[in-house]
Amino acid sequence: MPREVRDAVVIGSGPGGLAGAVTLARAGLDVLVLEAQPTIGGGARTLDLGLAPGMRHDLCSAVHPLAIGSPFFRAFDLPARGVELAVPEIAYAQPFEQRDAGIAYQDLDRTAAELGADGPAWRSLLGPLVEQIDAVIALGLGDHRTVPPEVLRPGGARAAAAFGAAVLEQGTRAWDRRFSDQVAPALLTGVAAHTISPLPSLAAAGTALLLGALAHGVGWVIPVGGSQAITDALTDDLRAHGGEIRTAEPVTTWRQLPRARAYLVDTTPRGLVDIWGERMASGHRAWFERFRHGNAAAKVDFVLSGPVPWRDARVGRAATVHVGGSRAEMAAAENAVHAGRHADRPLTLVSDPTVADPSRGTGGLRPLWTYTHVPAGSDIDVTQTVTAQIERFAPGFRDVVVASRCIPARRMPEHNANYVGGDIAGGAVTMWRMAAGPRPGWHVYDGGIPGVYLCSQAVPPGPGVHGMTGWFAARRALRDRFGITVAPELGPRG
């Protein structure tokens, strides 16, 4: 029986894979997406975990500063497609045990005012980036091979220089020189720690400054209904343009794939080798096999009978809470994980989606999304550790917990094969990896075989629900394999 024939096949339905599939389908190609899991979305899924009747939890990502910030999603225009993006007044918060919390409002001036003596330092650090937020986004979410046009516009080069100087400051031992109190540096460190990397580091600083600028420039978005709303918008558009999605179809070898002129692969570099290794150029294969994964996250989903009883009530209005104390405490915890140890008081990320989306509650109960950082491959159930860490800053938290479920780091790949050992960033977050991707070279999305392209978090611009990896890979495939040099329109009327 002859093999099925398609224009393009996409392996994996994470945000990168779906963004690539949408781009290809909108160019008029016949596109097939194959997903190993029974549900689509990769790191952007919202599922009923069986913890409470009718309640749905975000399986990985929950808060999306890039959903309205990335060039791909700006062009795709989620709000015009009916996706409601709630922007809480408070982007993120940093609670303390013995003093008022640090609060990052969307309003930069209000944030600076409440930081007291460190307010001017905060404004001077982030203000220039917020003023030129388009240039900063283009710089952070580019292909790291070309100069984005936004940087060449008036003020863009100045913003790029300010961003670079700030990364050098906050990514080295000079990171405390700007501040005189504990609150502002802790606020920034909580964001930096999203990278699950040593602190301070240049990669963590770059992440903190990009996400920090987005907090004031566009807000940290919570999609109404959960992260699945973003995935559903992408899949609806793909199907509207003739694309097909098949779930529960893991791909283990190229031999089981339909014939196609282009393949976009939303897997780890090693996953790409598993599928195509025997046909891959030796240089590519060697680099992909050496690709290094980072440390991990262990996730705990809670069902609560009421809001988290934060000592500082303002914290309960934040989209995200970084639970870890001072900058020194968080750096010690992250560096312990980097050294292969479980921290006694690990940094814990917390989000209560009902803060911005009351519809997520059901029957008087509400979901709480949390994860904490652990060494790669950890099989420890961290429920009690996370509970105790939150209780430090929210006395009585245990009393509102109705149910919980932990996914240890070692089991994260059961839900997403790209999360090797619990590495939710798709690889160790370092400046080299963020710039070079899995291998050095100009054509970073090439998979080592003509017509095969990598579009996962492993390639620039790196981790996050931004769609840029798939957009870049698809545009290269269109140019190389189909002679299409003009990227298709992405908006809902395209």
Side-chain angles (χ1 to χ4, degrees):
M1 182 174 180
R3 283 169 62 189
E4 181 181 5
V5 179
R6 298 281 181 149
D7 288 331
V9 175
V10 178
I11 302 171
S13 70
L18 288 178
V22 163
T23 305
L24 295 172
R26 280 178 160 261
L29 304 186
D30 176 21
V31 179
L32 170 65
V33 177
L34 300 174
E35 168 56 50
Q37 292 290 325
T39 55
I40 56 178
R45 285 180 287 167
T46 309
L47 302 175
D48 186 338
L49 304 180
L51 296 178
M55 183 170 291
R56 287 158 56 87
H57 291 76
D58 289 310
L59 194 59
C60 184
S61 57
V63 183
H64 296 274
L66 301 174
I68 53 176
S70 90
F72 173 81
F73 278 120
R74 284 185 176 183
F76 189 72
D77 198 350
L78 288 166
R81 298 169 182 279
V83 179
E84 186 177 348
L85 301 173
V87 184
E89 174 192 24
I90 298 174
Y92 58 96
Q94 188 75 37
F96 291 87
E97 289 183 274
Q98 304 298 329
R99 61 182 301 169
D100 290 344
I103 304 293
Y105 298 93
Q106 186 178 1
D107 187 322
L108 174 64
D109 291 334
R110 184 176 181 185
T111 304
E114 292 195 8
L115 288 174
D118 277 338
W122 186 269
R123 186 183 288 106
S124 68
L125 180 68
L126 290 171
L129 309 184
V130 176
E131 290 170 6
Q132 294 288 335
I133 190 64
D134 287 346
V136 172
I137 290 172
L139 195 66
L141 295 183
D143 61 8
H144 302 163
R145 296 296 184 279
T146 57
V147 178
E150 292 84 352
V151 174
L152 301 178
R153 294 171 187 163
R158 187 167 60 252
F163 184 80
V167 168
L168 287 174
E169 174 194 303
Q170 290 300 309
T172 64
R173 290 298 174 185
W175 67 342
D176 279 329
R177 293 180 183 175
R178 176 181 294 266
F179 302 112
S180 59
D181 195 10
Q182 291 190 44
V183 178
L187 265 179
L188 203 60
T189 305
V191 185
H194 283 235
T195 57
I196 320 181
S197 64
L199 296 175
S201 72
L202 296 176
T207 299
L209 292 162
L210 173 61
L211 296 182
L214 284 166
H216 298 307
V218 299
W220 282 18
V221 166
I222 292 181
V224 171
S227 298
Q228 192 71 41
I230 297 174
T231 294
D232 289 348
L234 290 167
T235 56
D236 287 347
D237 188 83
L238 174 62
R239 287 171 172 146
H241 288 83
E244 180 185 355
I245 301 173
R246 298 176 187 169
T247 58
E249 287 208 17
V251 176
T252 58
T253 173
W254 61 271
R255 291 181 175 84
Q256 71 190 91
L257 296 171
R259 294 185 183 276
R261 291 170 66 186
Y263 299 88
L264 265 60
V265 185
D266 188 5
T267 71
T268 67
R270 294 176 187 175
L272 181 59
V273 171
D274 289 341
I275 298 169
W276 293 96
E278 66 187 75
R279 296 179 57 189
M280 189 175 293
S282 59
H284 275 74
R285 176 167 182 161
W287 278 105
F288 290 166
E289 288 179 331
R290 289 198 297 268
F291 184 77
R292 185 166 64 89
H293 283 277
N295 281 301
K299 189 167 186 288
V300 183
D301 290 295
F302 291 96
V303 176
L304 307 183
S305 61
V308 178
W310 300 107
R311 181 179 284 108
D312 185 332
R314 298 174 302 160
V315 176
R317 300 180 356 238
T320 300
V321 184
H322 301 123
V323 179
S326 68
R327 167 173 273 185
E329 287 181 278
M330 288 184 285
E334 292 301 284
N335 292 336
V337 170
H338 183 67
R341 305 191 306 271
H342 286 82
D344 293 333
R345 290 180 164 183
L347 178 79
T348 299
L349 277 75
V350 176
S351 179
D352 178 350
T354 57
V355 168
D357 177 12
S359 71
R360 296 290 297 278
T362 177
L365 304 176
R366 60 205 291 155
L368 188 74
W369 174 100
T370 78
Y371 75 72
T372 193
H373 297 165
V374 296
S378 168
D379 60 0
I380 292 178
D381 183 325
V382 296
T383 303
Q384 293 307 314
T385 300
V386 168
T387 301
Q389 185 74 324
I390 297 174
E391 183 90 13
R392 285 177 61 196
F393 308 96
F397 172 66
R398 295 178 189 274
D399 298 333
V400 299
V401 174
V402 174
S404 64
R405 187 194 79 158
C406 175
I407 306 176
R410 181 169 292 183
R411 292 187 54 208
M412 292 290 272
E414 297 174 14
H415 305 276
N416 189 330
N418 287 359
Y419 296 162
V420 176
D423 172 16
I424 61 174
V429 181
T430 64
M431 287 300 286
W432 167 262
R433 177 267 175 117
M434 299 295 281
R439 65 178 187 85
W442 190 257
H443 302 305
V444 68
Y445 304 100
D446 289 0
I449 299 170
V452 177
Y453 303 88
L454 189 61
C455 67
S456 66
Q457 294 188 117
V459 291
V465 180
H466 44 62
M468 297 300 291
T469 56
W471 195 36
F472 286 137
R475 286 164 62 188
R476 180 161 180 80
L478 288 173
R479 183 174 63 251
D480 292 352
R481 307 297 289 179
F482 301 94
I484 299 174
T485 58
V486 177
E489 167 67 37
L490 293 175
R493 295 177 181 84

